[in-house]
Amino acid sequence: MMGVARMPIRAGSGRENSVPGVLHRATTDVFVDASTVDLVGESLVAEFEPDWTLNGLAEAASDTDADCDTDSGEEGIHIVCGQEIGTVPVTCELWDHQPPLAPESWQDIAEISAHWASTFLGFGIGTTGQDDVPDSRLPIRRPGTCRFRVHGVHRDGDDPRPDTAARETYLVQL
C-alpha cells in the first residue's frame, strides 16, 4: 500500500514565474470497480455513463452532456482500467502551468477538459472499504474549466493479474 504524499510549493518560492512546476501532488492506491477509477468533487460521486468514443482512457461528465451545461453542477471523470476489480496506484498533480509532455514512461495518454465546480479533486475517497487506506484530495485553485492529462501504463494485462506482473499505474495532471 502506498501512503499519501503531498508536496505544496509556496508563493514567493521563486518558482511561480519559472519553468512549470508541481504545486501539489497526492498519491495512493485506489480501488478499481467495474474497470474504472473515479475522480470526484464535493459530491463524492461521478454519476454519468461514459460512451468511450472520445478516447479509450478517460472521459469527463461534461463530455457526456450534449448541451455542455456547466451550470448543472455535474463533475467527475472516469478513467477506464485494464482490470475489472482491484487496486491501482494513482498520482494526481496540480501544476502552476501546463506540464511538459513526457510520453516515454507511459503507454496511453489522453487530454480532456472538464468543468470543475469543487475546490478539490478527490480520488480513492471511500471506495476501498478499508479504514487504513487514506482518502486523497488534491486542492484546486479555483473552480472552472480545467484541462486534465491522464496517463496510464500496463493496462492490457491478464485479469486477475499474477503477483509478478507489472502494476497498472495512472498519473493525472491538471
Side-chain angles (χ1 to χ4, degrees), residues 70-150:
T70 58
D71 293 331
S72 68
E74 291 182 25
E75 63 187 358
I77 293 176
H78 289 305
I79 299 173
V80 69
C81 299
Q83 58 186 320
E84 184 176 349
I85 196 163
T87 59
V88 296
V90 176
T91 298
C92 290
E93 300 175 339
L94 176 65
W95 285 70
D96 57 359
H97 292 87
Q98 181 177 352
L101 187 61
E104 307 82 35
S105 305
W106 302 97
Q107 295 168 329
D108 301 300
I109 300 174
E111 285 200 16
I112 58 174
S113 293
H115 176 74
W116 213 260
S118 299
T119 58
F120 68 86
L121 171 76
F123 61 104
I125 294 180
T127 59
T128 64
Q130 300 174 17
D131 293 335
D132 60 342
V133 177
D135 292 347
S136 295
R137 292 182 185 207
L138 186 74
I140 304 260
R141 289 186 282 190
R142 61 188 166 278
T145 299
C146 298
R147 190 75 176 159
F148 292 82
R149 184 180 296 153
V150 180

Side-chain angles (χ1 to χ4, degrees), residues 15-100:
R15 296 211 37 205
E16 51 283 340
N17 292 324
S18 61
V19 180
V22 177
L23 296 173
H24 296 279
R25 176 182 291 128
T27 300
T28 194
D29 280 351
V30 176
F31 184 69
V32 175
D33 185 23
S35 298
T36 63
V37 165
D38 294 337
L39 307 179
V40 298
E42 291 174 14
S43 68
L44 303 182
V45 293
E47 291 190 28
F48 68 97
E49 283 296 321
D51 60 18
W52 302 119
T53 58
L54 299 176
N55 65 67
L57 181 58
E59 192 164 322
S62 52
D63 289 339
T64 63
D65 186 355
D67 300 327
C68 291
D69 182 11
T70 58
D71 293 331
S72 68
E74 291 182 25
E75 63 187 358
I77 293 176
H78 289 305
I79 299 173
V80 69
C81 299
Q83 58 186 320
E84 184 176 349
I85 196 163
T87 59
V88 296
V90 176
T91 298
C92 290
E93 300 175 339
L94 176 65
W95 285 70
D96 57 359
H97 292 87
Q98 181 177 352

